Amino acid sequence: MADPWLALEFGVDPAERIAQVGAAHEAFLTAGAAPDRVREVVRRSWERSARLDPEATPPVDLSDDALAAYRAGHPLARVLPLFRDLLGGIAQDSAHLMAVCDAYGRLLWVEGHPGVLRHAERMNFVPGARWDETHAGTNAPGTALAVDHSVQIFATEHFSRPVQRWTCAAAPIHDPATGLLLGAVDITGGDNLANPHSLALVRATARAAEAQLAADRPVEPGVAVVTALGRDEAELRVDGRRIRLGRRHSELLVLLLHHPEGRTGEQLGLDLYGDDRLHPVTLRAELSRLRRVLGPELLDSRPYRLRGAVRADFTTIAARLDQGDVAGALDAYPGSLLPGSDAPGVARLRRLIDGQLRAAVLATADPALLTAWTATPAGADDLAAWQALARALPEGTPRRPLALARIDQLAREYDLPRATWLQRSGN
């Protein structure tokens, strides 16, 4: 089976593929539907990018001293020498660019061949520019962040026409302790990058960066870290072990973390299955298997509760909101808690976390925070948030028409009277 993250299969003529996908892109812009011959990852990205002007270039929202200060404080600054060591020479010698972005697609460093840098400046592929899909459409670093997977984007697969002369490959980078997305590393150049080697190279570079970040972090013996936001299966890291849990064990672990005082078997059964589907024997078997996975030192019974020091990404959200750090809470939020779970207790907690974060963001009326919230899966269809963003953005700013267009689209989907949503959007 062909690698779906690679742009070209072996033996495919690049020029023929450019023409084929280019025609599909034009058809998509005209009819709103992509033909089957477009890769699934690209088709879905085009759909997410459909609100953008295909002729636009991404905005630059950090420059000069503000950019320098932000870069200096970013975790990826610690592994910049590694990026330069692994990718910098290739970029210089092969007329390519190496780029590193943060979790919001903001380019932190763009380095490489001087002539290629000058050409890239014309499309705002520069430090401080926003290359997430929300601002730049389909592109390797932005799409890698959106799908949390390494990916190659080839020529006319880019949504924005000014970018279609380029090919790029990017891989996401995660905090090795918490699993939170830190950003992505990218290599950008010509059509000759559409090969398995460029994708393998950025994947290896991202893994090397994560390994170095882990090695540089002080060891906390016995401290367990649970990552459950934005993923259907939780991950547990403890004493150097990295354990990916199944869906049911993920739900149980999240419920136990939410109730540090402990839960009886009956309470866990209600949280897990609901009133009509209590399965005490099944629950005991699941807890027994979970104890074997975690180790007896981490899970008590009578009542069931976790022992020792356990940190979780979803508890970080509440802690930062309690401190009034809305921006920090949003930075630590990659998505909803176990979004695929229908366990009643998990669903209630998911609504609580999303609701508290949403309310805090709306209360700020801060355009940057509202933009970040509407870029999350939970905020993408949040009409009230888009209306608040439209009100917060001054007349004449490039993003305001995009916000109004999204409001129009959602209002029609929700069958709301036009006068109602226009008024609430500040028009």
Side-chain angles (χ1 to χ4, degrees), residues 247-323:
R247 179 167 297 190
R248 191 59 82 194
H249 287 171
S250 299
E251 293 166 340
L252 280 168
L253 186 57
V254 163
L255 292 168
L256 291 168
L257 280 162
H258 184 51
H259 296 282
E261 74 285 358
R263 300 293 269 173
T264 67
E266 183 178 1
Q267 289 171 325
L268 276 176
L270 290 171
D271 286 340
L272 203 61
Y273 303 112
D275 293 338
D276 301 327
R277 296 190 294 129
L278 286 174
H279 302 289
V281 175
T282 303
L283 176 63
R284 284 195 295 271
E286 292 286 4
L287 284 164
S288 178
R289 284 191 285 267
L290 180 61
R291 181 179 284 107
R292 288 198 295 271
V293 171
L294 301 182
E297 70 280 0
L298 279 182
L299 181 58
D300 262 342
S301 57
R302 298 182 182 177
Y304 294 104
R305 61 184 172 189
L306 296 172
R307 288 194 298 190
V310 184
R311 293 202 303 263
D313 57 353
F314 62 90
T315 60
T316 299
I317 306 298
R320 292 187 178 179
L321 290 177
D322 287 344
Q323 297 164 1

Side-chain angles (χ1 to χ4, degrees), residues 17-99:
R17 185 65 177 159
I18 288 172
Q20 192 179 61
V21 177
H25 182 260
E26 294 304 316
F28 176 81
L29 294 178
T30 302
D36 293 340
R37 61 180 176 269
V38 177
R39 285 190 294 157
E40 179 74 2
V41 64
V42 172
R43 181 183 64 79
R44 289 184 177 275
S45 179
W46 284 0
E47 290 170 353
R48 291 191 297 270
S49 308
R51 300 188 299 275
L52 291 174
D53 177 357
E55 301 295 341
T57 54
V60 176
D61 64 5
L62 277 182
S63 59
D64 302 327
D65 291 345
L67 174 62
Y70 182 75
R71 291 196 299 197
H74 197 276
L76 292 180
R78 302 202 298 271
V79 288
L80 181 59
L82 181 145
F83 293 140
R84 287 171 172 160
D85 186 40
L86 296 180
L87 296 179
I90 296 172
Q92 282 281 358
D93 298 342
S94 306
H96 298 147
L97 300 178
M98 176 202 76

Side-chain angles (χ1 to χ4, degrees), residues 107-236:
L107 295 180
L108 302 177
W109 296 276
V110 181
E111 301 179 357
H113 190 280
V116 184
L117 282 169
R118 286 193 294 272
H119 285 295
E121 287 173 1
R122 299 172 188 169
M123 60 177 184
N124 272 358
F125 197 76
V126 295
R130 290 290 297 272
W131 278 75
D132 55 319
E133 285 188 342
T134 302
H135 295 87
T138 307
N139 70 93
T143 302
L145 294 174
V147 300
D148 197 10
H149 198 286
S150 53
V151 67
Q152 201 172 65
I153 299 296
F154 171 65
T156 44
E157 290 182 331
H158 289 90
F159 184 81
S160 174
R161 289 192 182 102
V163 192
Q164 290 183 346
R165 57 165 292 186
W166 302 85
T167 291
C168 43
I173 304 165
H174 301 85
D175 185 308
T178 65
L180 290 176
L181 191 62
L182 295 177
V185 60
D186 165 86
I187 188 164
T188 289
D191 297 347
N192 59 333
L193 275 181
N195 62 67
H197 307 297
S198 66
L199 189 59
L201 181 59
V202 292
R203 283 173 175 164
T205 302
R207 299 297 79 78
E210 291 173 347
Q212 183 170 321
L213 289 170
D216 293 345
R217 184 180 298 276
V219 177
E220 296 181 273
V223 176
V225 179
V226 175
T227 306
L229 291 174
R231 52 194 305 159
D232 290 332
E233 295 179 335
E235 183 177 87
L236 173 71

Side-chain angles (χ1 to χ4, degrees), residues 235-422:
E235 183 177 87
L236 173 71
R237 303 183 188 203
V238 60
D239 291 339
R241 291 186 296 154
R242 186 171 178 170
I243 306 165
R244 183 168 183 172
L245 302 174
R247 179 167 297 190
R248 191 59 82 194
H249 287 171
S250 299
E251 293 166 340
L252 280 168
L253 186 57
V254 163
L255 292 168
L256 291 168
L257 280 162
H258 184 51
H259 296 282
E261 74 285 358
R263 300 293 269 173
T264 67
E266 183 178 1
Q267 289 171 325
L268 276 176
L270 290 171
D271 286 340
L272 203 61
Y273 303 112
D275 293 338
D276 301 327
R277 296 190 294 129
L278 286 174
H279 302 289
V281 175
T282 303
L283 176 63
R284 284 195 295 271
E286 292 286 4
L287 284 164
S288 178
R289 284 191 285 267
L290 180 61
R291 181 179 284 107
R292 288 198 295 271
V293 171
L294 301 182
E297 70 280 0
L298 279 182
L299 181 58
D300 262 342
S301 57
R302 298 182 182 177
Y304 294 104
R305 61 184 172 189
L306 296 172
R307 288 194 298 190
V310 184
R311 293 202 303 263
D313 57 353
F314 62 90
T315 60
T316 299
I317 306 298
R320 292 187 178 179
L321 290 177
D322 287 344
Q323 297 164 1
D325 183 9
V326 181
L330 200 52
D331 275 340
Y333 177 82
S336 294
L337 176 70
L338 300 181
S341 171
D342 59 0
V346 174
R348 283 193 300 271
L349 180 56
R350 181 169 57 235
R351 289 193 298 271
L352 176 65
I353 294 168
D354 287 353
Q356 288 177 337
L357 181 58
R358 174 183 183 270
V361 171
L362 288 175
T364 67
D366 183 315
L369 295 182
L370 287 164
T371 298
W373 172 252
T374 54
T376 67
D381 297 329
D382 187 343
L383 178 57
W386 284 103
Q387 290 171 327
L389 176 59
R391 290 193 299 270
L393 292 169
E395 290 280 353
T397 54
R399 179 133 186 88
R400 195 165 189 273
L402 300 177
L404 291 172
R406 182 59 174 158
I407 291 166
D408 190 7
Q409 182 182 26
L410 289 173
R412 294 177 193 280
E413 290 177 9
Y414 300 152
D415 199 25
L416 295 177
R418 181 177 175 83
T420 301
W421 63 258
L422 277 174

